[in-house]
Amino acid sequence: MRARWDLLPLLWLLWLLGPLLWLQARHVRRVTPRMPEPPGCRTGTAGRGTLVRLLVAGDSGAAGVGAPTQDQALCGQLVRRLSRHHTVAWCVMAVNGLDSPGLLELLEHAPCMRFDVVVLSMGANDATGLCAPARWARWQTRLAEVIELRFAPALLVHSAVPPMHACLALPQPLRWFMGRWARRMNLSLAGLLIDQTGRIMHWHPETTTTAGMAADGIHPSSEGYAAWADGLSLRILAERVPGAGPASATGSPQDARPKKERGYSPKRVTP
């Protein structure tokens, strides 16, 4: 109930400024270039030491839009940092433009594999669609359930909705409004994760610079992905995720279902 009351000022501003915000959003869509997903490998192995299997899934951020290659995108930068400590077997499952329902469908049709760490980049497209914060948080729970059943990770990292108030392509007051809406989404999810085990949230820096933004003023540049990966790698390493054992170990579809075999039955959530 409190979350709904906290949202009332934004809903009132949406009613008051709705026509202006709609015109600004329409203008941004018309003039902003649509950047492609960068070329490069989406699976691979790097590093030495204990094997950690990593999945990066989600929207354009996970797909690396704004970087020139996958090596300089989020997963590539994250693998580079984690591989200083582990052998990292990594995979990217991401599509530019996905929202939470779209990602859910993508993951439901993905083959079962075992991953030790799953990083989710999700929320920017839900925010632009004005998905209610509480509803969006429930969608993240739905995603977590599917991830548990198909991939059984030891750690699921929800990367927060990016700081949209820092997106240089958005004019004011649209930029301010979207920043506040994204923050309410993040706070709603953070509240759900307080008593969760194996699920954590990684917050982006509150500010950004032109050096950290791609040419479209919306997505990160390679420098922006480097900063993102810096924070993520520190969080993941701090959690001391148990790896898969020696680097020669490999995952298999059967490995992805240990909790289900022990009678694990996730509670379904209707967003």
Side-chain angles (χ1 to χ4, degrees):
M1 181 62 70
R2 176 177 174 80
R4 294 181 181 179
W5 282 104
D6 290 342
L7 196 61
L8 281 179
L10 282 180
L11 293 175
W12 182 80
L13 284 173
L14 180 61
W15 176 82
L16 184 67
L17 301 175
L20 173 61
L21 299 178
W22 181 80
L23 287 172
Q24 288 185 325
R26 184 179 179 184
H27 173 75
V28 170
R29 290 191 180 95
R30 186 172 66 250
V31 303
T32 302
R34 183 174 175 84
M35 302 189 74
E37 297 179 10
C41 295
R42 293 199 171 204
T43 61
T45 305
R48 58 186 301 177
T50 304
L51 177 65
V52 171
R53 294 161 295 197
L54 170 70
L55 171 64
V56 176
D59 53 17
S60 58
V65 173
T69 67
Q70 284 293 335
D71 284 343
Q72 295 172 276
L74 178 61
C75 188
Q77 302 260 17
L78 183 56
V79 168
R80 190 172 304 126
R81 286 152 179 78
L82 294 179
S83 63
R84 297 167 187 164
H85 308 272
H86 298 278
T87 296
V88 182
W90 51 273
C91 177
V92 176
M93 294 184 190
V95 178
N96 188 9
L98 278 187
D99 58 6
S100 292
L103 179 59
L104 185 71
E105 182 177 1
L106 176 69
L107 296 179
E108 285 178 334
H109 290 86
C112 290
M113 294 179 284
R114 182 68 185 268
F115 290 101
D116 304 297
V117 180
V118 175
V119 174
L120 280 187
S121 167
M122 179 50 54
N125 296 304
D126 296 297
T128 58
L130 295 182
C131 182
R135 182 178 177 84
W136 180 75
R138 292 194 296 271
W139 272 113
Q140 306 322 295
T141 299
R142 286 285 303 277
L143 289 168
E145 292 170 353
V146 171
I147 287 167
E148 175 60 52
L149 289 175
R150 303 193 75 79
F151 310 129
L155 179 66
L156 170 58
V157 184
H158 295 269
S159 199
V161 183
M164 300 187 73
H165 66 274
C167 289
L168 304 178
L170 303 181
Q172 299 289 9
L174 178 63
R175 189 194 307 178
W176 177 89
F177 179 86
M178 292 309 306
R180 298 300 296 178
W181 194 273
R183 180 169 176 77
R184 291 307 317 169
M185 292 169 66
N186 286 331
L187 290 173
S188 184
L189 177 58
L192 283 182
L193 296 181
I194 289 176
D195 59 351
Q196 294 286 314
T197 300
R199 291 175 67 193
I200 62 174
M201 189 167 180
H202 172 69
W203 292 76
H204 295 274
E206 286 295 311
T207 58
T208 187
T209 64
T210 53
M213 300 294 292
D216 63 357
I218 293 177
H219 294 95
S221 63
S222 56
E223 291 85 356
Y225 282 118
W228 189 353
D230 280 340
L232 272 174
S233 63
L234 291 175
R235 290 299 306 276
I236 292 169
L237 292 171
E239 293 293 321
R240 299 185 182 276
V241 176
S248 60
T250 58
S252 66
Q254 291 76 19
D255 290 336
R257 301 174 181 261
K259 291 188 178 179
K260 187 174 182 182
E261 291 171 3
R262 295 197 301 266
Y264 174 78
S265 179
K267 180 174 66 176
R268 299 299 296 172
V269 176
T270 302

